[in-house]
Amino acid sequence: MRHIVTEFRKGMIGTRFSPNWCGLVCAPLQSYLSALGFETHLVFGMIKNTSHCWLILSDGRIIDPTADQFRTPRGEKMPPVYIGSRPQWYKMV
């Protein structure tokens, strides 16, 4: 899964830093993953004071293909593609 999402992101934005790309990457990624048999839901939320969107898999994990624009509350950089449980600081609206 990570390889699929990473390659999709690369095809959309190359190696650029990802602020303001979340919707432009997540919406077509959702369609692509659906064609591959993965059920996801597009979610809108907030990270700190920034609106953001990501995908949720049927098992509850999230896919954030533009996570690198954020840092954890401890100041650590997020990876370019994050797949895992929803961090507490990802607030759904």
Side-chain angles (χ1 to χ4, degrees):
M1 170 74 70
R2 182 172 310 282
H3 178 73
I4 293 168
V5 176
T6 299
E7 289 301 308
F8 189 89
R9 173 198 157 107
K10 184 178 175 183
M12 292 288 295
I13 64 174
T15 58
R16 285 181 249 161
F17 188 51
S18 67
N20 302 316
W21 281 91
C22 61
L24 295 169
V25 175
C26 281
L29 176 60
Q30 181 182 29
S31 294
Y32 181 63
L33 291 174
S34 178
L36 296 176
F38 297 101
E39 181 183 337
T40 63
H41 297 283
L42 181 62
V43 174
F44 295 91
M46 298 290 289
I47 297 180
K48 299 183 182 177
N49 293 325
T50 304
S51 60
H52 190 55
C53 63
W54 58 87
L55 301 174
I56 297 181
L57 289 160
S58 57
D59 66 7
R61 293 178 298 154
I62 72 163
I63 299 172
D64 185 350
T66 61
D68 59 324
Q69 62 187 298
F70 300 107
R71 291 183 175 270
T72 70
R74 289 190 246 169
E76 301 159 333
K77 284 184 175 183
M78 289 288 288
V81 171
Y82 174 78
I83 300 173
S85 58
R86 182 174 57 87
Q88 291 179 339
W89 63 92
Y90 277 59
K91 303 295 183 193
M92 294 171 53
V93 292

